[in-house]
Each structure stands twice: as structure tokens, then as C-alpha cells.
Amino acid sequence: MLLTPRSRHTPLSSRRRTAALLASAVSVCLLAAAAPPEPLGIGDRLFPYLGNPGYDVASYDLSFTYSGRNDKPLEAVTTIDARITADLERLNLDFTHGTVRSVEVDGRRADFAKAGEDLVVTPDHPLSRGSWTRITVRHTSEPVAAKDQDGGWVRTVDGLAMANQADAAHLVFPCNDHPSDKAMFTFHVTAPNGYAVVANGLPDGADRAGKTTTWTYRTQHPMATELAQVSIGRSAVVRREGPEGLPMRDVVPAADRKALEPWLAKTPDQIAWMESKIGRFPFETYGVLLAQASTGFELETQTLSLFEKNLFSDPAYPKWYVESIMVHELSHQWFGDSVSPRTWSDVWLNEGHATWYEALYADETAHKPMEQRMKAAYSASDRWREAGGPPARPKAPAPGQKISIFRPNIYDGAALVLYALRQEIGRPAFERLERVWVRAHRDSTATTADFVQLASTISGRDLSGFFRAWLYGAKTPPMPGHPDWKQQAPAKDQQAAATKPSASAGRPSAQAGKVSAPAKAAGAGAGGTRSAR
């Protein structure tokens, strides 16, 4: 390159122009730095402000101090190790419903502000793409629900548990609250002596100091934030072995341990049944948490599924039905937990499969024919699609009801898609697909397109047209092998109920939405009587 010679002395007019340009550049920088913080998101179709761009979380280290009162804030420290994926001057975390006391980035104090449901952090140095950073937030974690904010901590009779699906982990701790960003978790929970604490993963010590004990748990596999679980209560922790020596622990109210043991003892055989269908259990441990709380749903929190204790003690629920709901949440450990949805529009892969194995278990162990359930679902499918959207394109949540995406179309409606697929490609190809799916995407995330591609590969034919109609169509296609199956026009009262979103998340029954007392008394027919997310 040819350089033009310049005089040693810069003319006055040139210096003035240079100064003006520098002043302008500084003004631009100051304006950028002073720009108000704003909430960000990764653009999920259903939850556009969940998750944040620019980084990938590798691990969370969560510390909670519980006072013994479940109506008082917990003192908490959240430490996040993340890889930076874009040059950042600021970094957004999902967090609301707690008081932030301080933030550090790489050991140095950082400025912070709230914007919507985001905590916007401004470190004292830019974060460069490809680098690693550690964010430490000291905050409170509020167990009492705020107005129009369902989920997060669940207050039980004797303590707390968590229910973070779909968008409520950030009501408990700062995070990147989207299932596409899975991470390892460590939990440290300090509680008064006499309480038992159990969390996701395996125990790593319980250190007693005076009147309190600090319990530590670590996951051995990555986990989505919505699957985090911490149980604090005056509980009994019941241990046993599952298939091939799998360590198991169940958490139950201490006074009910003996009465609940017959139910707890069923889980190892249920795991063995699932393993016979799709392969080895994907995690380091499993168990059930039976909480004395009124939630209206059950939840597949990773390695420790959450249930209402009432499900196991209310005689109105048939025994076979309770067992099938246990299998629903167990099967989520493969479908939804190990293989997580890349976006919330892919949630049918979670709930459709869990409903499928729930129904298959009832068919094989309680003589409740799956074909009968699928025929009933088929008759209702068109009105489910009209009310909630097709299985792979659910309608956006209703205002103030973020978890209303959990409608019948992603439960029995999605299981119906799997039934149609088995009819289309045959049982051997379908069963091979199920096994390969959970093996290929273990500890990761996957999309509907991934499932379509794998099904096409295994069946040896292009199934994109089949899936397009079944997953995205406004109307339900004809059922392969059952040309006699028809849609049933709803009665006026049924039609009104079908178009009204549920006020609470959960697995709607195959015939209706939220569980009602008459349905509970009747027992499960084509789809059940209770919500199980």
C-alpha cells in the first residue's frame, strides 16, 4: 500500500475537525451506554421474551437459605458459568419476583437494572465472544406467589417444592429460562435441623452447623431450568434400588410413609417396563416427591417427579389410573427431560409421548384398550385443534395465563399423531424409531423437524407430507387403517368448554380440560381425570 507523506505539524483546522469527530464519537458511546435497559428474548414463538441471546450457560450453582417459614423470602446466591457467544456490553438474565442485592461479573461489581422480567447486568468490562464468564447474583427468592405469576415455589403444608414449567424458573432464581439452554446444576440448601432437603441429582453431603444443616446435590446430566426441583420439608426419604442397581429415593410426608409405601414400591417395575420399550433409564437416580399441596397437576421435574399426595390417598382415583399417571411422569424422563424441546412449539414431543406410554401402560397392565382411547381422541380432535391449535403449532398462551399452552391438543391430540404414525409405518418401525430417538438426542434438545427426519429415515420413505397434515393441519386427517373413525360434533356446552383455556397448567384429560369433581369420581375413561404435565 502506498502511504501519502504528511507534515509533522497538523494544521489548526485539521485539529479542530479531529476534535469534533472525537467528541462526536464519545457522545455516541455515552448515548449507547446510557440507553435504557430493555428485556430481550430468543424469539420463541410462544414465549418471545424467555431466554436471552449472547451466551450459553454451562452450569448453575444455587444456594438457598430457608428460615423455617414458607411465607418468608429465602436468602439466595446464584452463580452462573457461561460461554459468551457474541460480543456483549450488557447481559440479560431472566429474573423477577425477588430482590437483587448485588451482582458480580468475574469477581468484580457490576451494575444492574430491571427491565420487564429481565435482570440486565452491565459489567465493568466488555464480554468478548468465545470467552468464559462467571456471574454471581445475591438475591432473595420469594415463595409467596405474586399476582398473575403462577409457578416457581410451591408452598406445601410443611415447607416448599418447585414447579417451574413452563416459564417460572426465573421466579425462583436468575437464569436463562428456556429449555434450549440446558446446563449442569449444583444445589446448596440450608434449613433448620429436622427438615429434609432433596433436589435433582445425587447427594454430595449434609453439613450440620449449630441449628442448621446445609444439603448439597449435584446433577450428573444437563438439565433445563424448568425441570429444577428442591423439596424442603419434614419428610421421610425412602431409598431402594431400581433396575440394574439404579439408586432411587422417594420423598413423602413422614407421617404417611407406611401408607404410601405400596405406591412407592411400584416404581422399579414401572422403570423396568419403560426400559423394555425404549431403553435404559437416562439419569443417575429417580424417585417421586409426594407433596402436601394443592397444585392441580403432576410434574416431571428431572430425577424427582412432583405429585400431589392426594392423588395417592383419594379413593375416587382408580388404582390403574394412578399407576398410569405415575408412568406418564416417568416417561417424561426420556421425553422432555433427557430429550428436551428446542422450542416450546415442540412440546407435543414431550406430552404426546408421555401420554402415549401412559395409555400403553394402561392397555397392557389394566386392560384399558389404547385403541378405544385413541378413537375417542380422534372424535374430539378437530375441536381441540380449533380451540388450541394443531399439535405442533399450539396457539399462544392467553393473557395472564402463560401456561395455558397445556391444552388437550398437545396431550391426547399429540398421542393420536403417534398412533397414526404407528398405523402408517407399522409397529416394528415405530418401536425402532422410539428407541433411536431417545438414544440419538440424549442429554440434548431436539425439534419436530428432527423427529420427522428420523421417522422418514427409519421407515425408508418421505413422511413430511404425513406429518404436515397431522401436526399442522386445521383438520384431523383420516386415520390410517380406520376409515370408519369420524369427528363428533360437540354439544353446545362442550363446545364452550373446549374453547375456554384452562386457568392452570396440566395434562387435560382426553375428553375435557381441567379435572372436575364429577370426572374425578367417574375415573379415567379415554384419557383420565387429572392434570399431569
Side-chain angles (χ1 to χ4, degrees):
M1 177 182 291
L2 180 64
L3 298 179
T4 304
R6 291 186 294 176
S7 168
R8 179 179 298 179
H9 300 287
T10 304
L12 181 60
S13 59
S14 297
R15 293 202 302 269
R16 285 174 177 167
R17 284 197 300 271
T18 301
L21 289 170
L22 286 172
S24 176
V26 169
S27 297
V28 169
C29 291
L30 289 174
L31 284 171
E38 59 180 352
L40 300 177
I42 60 172
D44 188 285
R45 188 181 69 85
L46 296 175
F47 298 100
Y49 288 104
L50 280 188
N52 292 287
Y55 62 94
D56 178 30
V57 177
S59 66
Y60 293 93
D61 187 291
L62 306 178
S63 296
F64 298 105
T65 300
Y66 178 67
S67 67
R69 291 276 303 273
N70 68 1
D71 60 349
K72 299 296 183 183
L74 289 78
E75 291 295 327
V77 180
T78 295
T79 300
I80 299 170
D81 287 326
R83 182 175 62 86
I84 303 302
T85 59
D87 292 340
L88 296 176
E89 298 286 337
R90 289 173 169 169
L91 180 145
N92 282 40
L93 298 171
D94 298 307
F95 184 58
T96 192
H97 196 45
T99 300
V100 178
R101 305 203 187 283
S102 67
V103 179
E104 293 180 357
V105 177
D106 298 326
R108 289 178 283 185
R109 300 278 291 204
D111 292 334
F112 60 91
K114 296 298 292 294
E117 295 190 1
D118 279 13
L119 173 64
V120 183
V121 177
T122 305
D124 68 353
H125 60 287
L127 303 177
S128 301
R129 179 180 179 180
S131 65
W132 285 85
T133 192
R134 172 169 290 181
I135 306 110
T136 302
V137 184
R138 289 173 172 82
H139 60 98
T140 64
S141 189
E142 302 282 347
V144 178
K147 183 180 179 182
D148 298 327
Q149 288 184 327
D150 293 330
W153 287 113
V154 173
R155 295 168 63 198
T156 65
V157 169
D158 60 345
L160 293 170
M162 282 187 196
N164 295 331
Q165 195 181 75
D167 65 330
H170 68 284
L171 301 182
V172 178
F173 58 95
C175 58
N176 203 29
D177 198 6
H178 194 274
S180 61
D181 192 2
K182 299 170 73 166
M184 306 297 283
F185 277 74
T186 299
F187 301 88
H188 311 278
V189 183
T190 301
N193 298 331
Y195 283 83
V197 174
V198 181
N200 311 92
L202 295 174
D204 192 22
D207 299 323
R208 185 165 180 163
K211 295 181 179 181
T212 65
T213 301
T214 299
W215 308 71
T216 299
Y217 288 83
R218 302 182 192 277
T219 65
Q220 307 298 305
H221 297 263
M223 181 170 72
T225 52
E226 51 126 352
L227 302 173
Q229 183 58 269
V230 172
S231 168
I232 308 171
R234 299 188 181 278
S235 308
V237 181
V238 184
R239 304 186 186 278
R240 71 187 81 238
E241 278 195 359
E244 300 184 42
L246 177 73
M248 298 182 60
R249 77 278 188 261
D250 301 309
V251 184
V252 300
D256 299 307
R257 174 175 179 169
K258 184 176 180 180
L260 292 169
E261 173 59 25
W263 290 109
L264 306 178
K266 295 180 183 296
T267 309
D269 285 344
Q270 292 170 346
I271 294 174
W273 182 87
M274 281 296 301
E275 289 186 332
S276 74
K277 303 299 181 186
I278 52 177
R280 189 167 183 172
F281 185 75
F283 296 124
E284 64 272 23
T285 186
Y286 186 65
V288 298
L289 164 58
L290 308 188
Q292 293 188 89
S294 178
T295 61
F297 56 79
E298 328 305 331
L299 187 61
E300 66 274 13
T301 40
Q302 189 163 307
T303 73
L304 186 64
S305 293
L306 173 67
F307 294 84
E308 279 189 13
K309 192 202 80 169
N310 184 56
L311 176 66
F312 299 87
S313 58
D314 190 334
Y317 296 116
K319 176 176 174 290
W320 70 266
Y321 172 69
V322 175
E323 292 186 27
S324 70
I325 295 301
M326 293 175 72
V327 170
H328 180 108
E329 304 307 333
L330 170 62
S331 62
H332 269 309
Q333 303 300 308
W334 286 267
F335 300 97
D337 293 10
S338 179
V339 185
S340 298
R342 188 81 49 80
T343 74
W344 277 109
S345 295
D346 299 311
V347 70
W348 78 273
L349 287 165
N350 303 17
E351 301 300 348
H353 278 100
T355 305
W356 173 265
Y357 288 101
E358 167 197 331
L360 187 62
Y361 186 82
D363 185 318
E364 293 188 3
T365 65
H367 310 294
K368 304 294 179 182
M370 174 180 277
E371 184 173 314
Q372 179 180 325
R373 177 167 175 169
M374 292 298 102
K375 184 177 181 180
Y378 188 87
S379 72
S381 180
D382 275 2
R383 63 180 184 268
W384 289 346
R385 289 171 184 248
E386 182 179 0
R393 196 177 294 278
K395 291 183 179 180
Q401 298 178 357
K402 293 182 180 179
I403 48 182
S404 64
I405 63 168
F406 292 91
R407 302 180 179 102
N409 58 313
I410 64 163
Y411 290 91
D412 283 76
L416 188 68
V417 175
L418 298 177
Y419 182 85
L421 177 62
R422 192 178 73 171
Q423 292 288 104
E424 182 75 10
I425 66 176
R427 187 183 298 265
F430 178 83
E431 291 178 350
R432 181 172 175 237
L433 167 64
E434 296 289 275
R435 287 177 172 272
V436 174
W437 173 254
V438 296
R439 186 170 65 246
H441 298 286
R442 183 180 182 183
D443 287 340
S444 187
T445 63
T447 66
T448 297
D450 293 329
F451 190 77
V452 172
Q453 181 179 19
L454 184 61
S456 297
T457 298
I458 286 178
S459 66
R461 46 185 286 221
D462 182 3
L463 292 171
S464 56
F466 169 88
F467 278 109
R468 190 179 306 114
W470 276 95
L471 290 175
Y472 300 103
K475 297 292 184 182
T476 311
M479 176 59 71
H482 293 287
D484 56 314
W485 285 13
K486 305 295 181 185
Q487 293 295 316
Q488 181 179 357
K492 289 184 179 180
D493 57 340
Q494 291 176 319
Q495 191 171 23
T499 57
K500 183 179 180 181
S502 171
S504 171
R507 183 190 60 79
S509 72
Q511 296 300 321
K514 198 76 176 74
V515 59
S516 64
K520 183 175 77 169
T529 63
R530 190 178 169 76
S531 295
R533 286 197 220 165

